[in-house]
Amino acid sequence: MPVISAPHAFNEGDLYVDLQSIFGRALYLKCEGFNFAGSIKLKAANEMVETAERDGVLTSDSILVESSSGNLGVALSMIAASKGYRFLCVTDSRCNLSTRLLMESLGSEVHVVADLDANDGFLARRIDYVRALCASDDRYVWLSQYTNPGNWRAHYRTTAPEIASQFPRLDVLFVGAGTTGTLMGCARYFRKWHRSVRIVAVDSVGSVAFGGKPGRRMIPGLGMSMRPPLLDESYVDEVIRVEEADTIRTCHRLARRGFLFGGSTGTIVSGAMDWLNQHATRGITAVAIAPDLGERYLDTIYQTNWLQDLYGDQILDPEQVTAGSRRVQPMPRASGRRRKP
């Protein structure tokens, strides 16, 4: 029986859903939403905060500030409340209302950026606001999830070993690409593993993380309106981009079987199923990482009026429930495979 005194001390890391009966393809979905922050971002938040504390960057007078589309903001809100820090989350208008209310309930301040940047996203505007805050008052401490190595180290130390322990014959791993902290941590770990694992990054159409044209993205979580500073493409074997319509249909298909997941999970499962349908995958072991659950998306992905206003009346046409995606060219392996992290 676990007994804890701090909310970040608990995380269920060994729960998987077998999606064979839902999609007809063997895929094990690693569920990362069962902690008090409700998402995989708890791991990165905890790693970055503890590193800043060890380095003396955080003091009792510090004010944590971070740019986040939602889940990292919730994780930092929870940790800040537990440790007695003030926290300001800079987010944007795509952030789910329930997520903003949750951060405020935990005692955090939330600033919402409404102006688009040059790539039809909000990230550059959010970062500009954070930088201006830090320049105005040296009490502000920006952990910078986009550049902080603690972001990927958290998953190198926890997420990847958890998968390796449960699936010693792993063949392919599907990981969503946002800041690419989870992607890079897992890819670095499995690059050194005892057998070759194919790393497939799943991104959103309209994201420029791996190049391409920027476009409208209404579902927070995955995708970037700039190239992620943490990204090293030599660790990635292949990239798949998923349309938001396919994300939504996949989320609803899972929900019809009793599994309520968030938008990032819908994107990753959609991309993974497309890849599995196009490859000779008989007998392979495939795992995908589900970053969060679906309760925070009840007023967006699972709200009929929101869906119809943005995507049209046929977004949930019963004949269009199969997962689909658009493919990006596979990335060549870099030489010197056994690279140390």
Side-chain angles (χ1 to χ4, degrees), residues 58-327:
L58 277 174
T59 69
S60 59
D61 294 328
S62 297
I63 306 172
L64 280 168
V65 61
E66 186 56 80
S67 162
S68 170
S69 62
N71 282 337
L72 183 73
V74 172
L76 286 173
S77 294
M78 187 191 76
I79 292 172
S82 175
K83 290 175 175 283
Y85 296 117
R86 291 174 59 191
F87 172 56
L88 169 61
C89 181
V90 180
T91 188
D92 59 65
S93 55
R94 292 179 308 183
C95 179
N96 299 322
L97 175 61
S98 59
T99 300
R100 298 202 300 266
L101 293 175
L102 179 53
M103 288 189 281
E104 291 172 346
S105 297
L106 289 165
S108 299
E109 298 178 63
V110 180
H111 177 82
V112 179
V113 171
D115 296 330
L116 290 169
D117 58 29
N119 285 325
D120 293 327
F122 297 95
L123 182 55
R125 300 293 189 192
R126 288 180 359 210
I127 290 175
D128 286 346
Y129 188 86
V130 171
R131 286 176 172 155
L133 279 178
C134 293
S136 69
D137 190 331
D138 58 11
R139 291 178 300 168
Y140 284 105
V141 174
W142 180 25
L143 297 175
S144 184
Q145 62 167 323
Y146 312 107
T147 59
N148 194 321
N151 190 345
W152 69 260
R153 275 201 307 263
H155 304 287
Y156 184 89
R157 292 195 310 101
T158 62
T159 308
E162 289 163 0
I163 296 170
S165 175
Q166 296 295 322
F167 299 93
R169 303 294 296 174
L170 180 67
D171 294 298
V172 58
L173 178 64
F174 299 95
V175 189
T179 64
T180 67
T182 307
L183 175 65
M184 287 293 97
C186 290
R188 282 183 163 94
Y189 181 90
F190 285 110
R191 179 66 63 87
K192 298 175 62 180
W193 207 36
H194 68 89
R195 62 185 272 118
S196 177
V197 175
R198 189 162 190 83
I199 302 297
V200 180
V202 184
D203 198 9
S204 302
V205 170
S207 164
V208 301
F210 294 91
K213 288 182 59 176
R216 185 188 76 163
R217 291 180 294 114
M218 299 305 298
I219 301 173
L222 298 186
M224 293 274 279
S225 56
M226 70 177 190
R227 179 182 172 82
L230 294 176
L231 176 62
D232 183 342
E233 294 181 21
S234 69
Y235 287 97
V236 179
D237 296 299
E238 196 169 350
V239 179
I240 290 176
R241 284 178 170 166
V242 175
E243 295 276 5
E244 286 192 335
D246 293 317
T247 292
I248 292 161
R249 290 173 188 136
T250 302
C251 285
H252 280 260
R253 187 169 179 177
L254 287 162
R256 284 194 292 271
R257 298 297 293 272
F259 294 106
L260 194 72
F261 283 107
S264 297
T265 299
T267 301
I268 293 162
V269 172
S270 177
M273 286 302 163
D274 179 77
W275 190 94
L276 292 169
N277 285 331
Q278 294 187 35
H279 290 74
T281 57
R282 189 179 185 86
I284 73 165
T285 299
V287 172
I289 299 174
D292 62 0
L293 302 178
E295 291 92 339
R296 294 173 194 169
Y297 300 82
L298 293 178
D299 57 348
T300 54
I301 289 174
Y302 298 103
Q303 215 285 330
T304 302
N305 290 339
W306 187 87
L307 291 176
Q308 291 177 343
D309 287 347
L310 290 174
Y311 303 99
D313 292 340
Q314 299 304 311
I315 183 63
L316 295 179
D317 187 321
E319 296 181 359
Q320 297 176 309
V321 296
T322 54
S325 60
R326 292 182 179 178
R327 179 166 304 286

Side-chain angles (χ1 to χ4, degrees), residues 38-50:
S39 81
I40 196 171
K41 288 293 188 178
L42 175 63
K43 293 175 173 177
N46 197 41
E47 179 80 18
M48 292 188 295
V49 168
E50 288 189 348

